[in-house]
Amino acid sequence: MFEVTNDVSRRTITARMSGFMRPNEMREFATIYRKATDSYSGGRHLVLADMRGLKALEPESATLFSDVINHGRKNGCVMCAHVSDSTIARLQTARVASEASPNDDITMDCVSLDEAHVQLAKARSRFFLGSEHGTAQAR
């Protein structure tokens, strides 16, 4: 099961994933996630990856997930807050993220959804409120 929402006013994509993400479902997720990423035209944005309940990914699903993470990072993602309740899923997604971005300095593992929202708020202040006019910077 997955859901992707895009809060353009907060420049934040939320990806909610749980259960077993088989390759067909991961392809569908990747298509929707890429569309959300592309809506920023390469501009800075944030991601909340809520993976509570996500089961370990099959190799094909993990490859597709890595590809979509890589796409996001090459197209403006400046911070991704991960929330997971499974050690196995957390380790796997950390490995997949590091493969997509070898010098991974944008993934933040959070212990709760509340912590993720706090970290995203800090990132919004750092990345989007620093322009001369107090408006979001496009790039």
Side-chain angles (χ1 to χ4, degrees):
M1 193 271 334
F2 73 87
E3 178 182 12
V4 176
T5 57
N6 187 6
D7 184 345
V8 176
S9 67
R10 300 181 82 180
R11 303 187 69 81
T12 303
I13 298 169
T14 298
R16 172 83 176 103
M17 301 166 30
S18 65
F20 291 100
M21 295 279 294
R22 304 284 187 224
N24 284 342
E25 189 173 19
M26 187 60 78
R27 277 196 241 356
E28 185 181 350
F29 166 80
T31 297
I32 294 168
Y33 185 89
R34 276 190 178 92
K35 183 177 178 181
T37 296
D38 293 347
S39 74
Y40 294 100
S41 302
R44 293 179 184 174
H45 63 278
L46 309 173
V47 173
L48 169 57
D50 182 353
M51 299 174 288
R52 293 172 296 163
L54 181 65
K55 306 299 182 194
L57 299 172
E58 299 174 28
E60 185 178 352
S61 292
T63 298
L64 292 164
F65 192 45
S66 179
D67 291 346
V68 81
I69 290 170
N70 191 33
H71 178 79
R73 293 180 181 193
K74 286 182 176 178
N75 289 282
C77 179
V78 293
M79 188 221 171
C80 184
H82 285 194
V83 181
S84 179
D85 56 4
S86 164
T87 301
I88 292 170
R90 181 180 296 120
L91 290 171
Q92 185 180 37
T93 55
R95 179 186 55 78
V96 168
S98 70
E99 288 173 358
S101 182
N103 297 318
D104 186 11
D105 60 349
I106 66 172
T107 299
M108 174 157 300
D109 283 313
C110 300
V111 298
S112 70
L113 205 50
D114 288 339
E115 180 191 2
H117 286 294
V118 167
Q119 296 303 326
L120 289 166
K122 288 179 185 178
R124 268 184 215 98
S125 293
R126 186 171 60 244
F127 291 114
F128 306 125
L129 299 179
S131 69
E132 294 175 22
H133 306 294
T135 58
Q137 295 175 350
R139 293 189 190 246

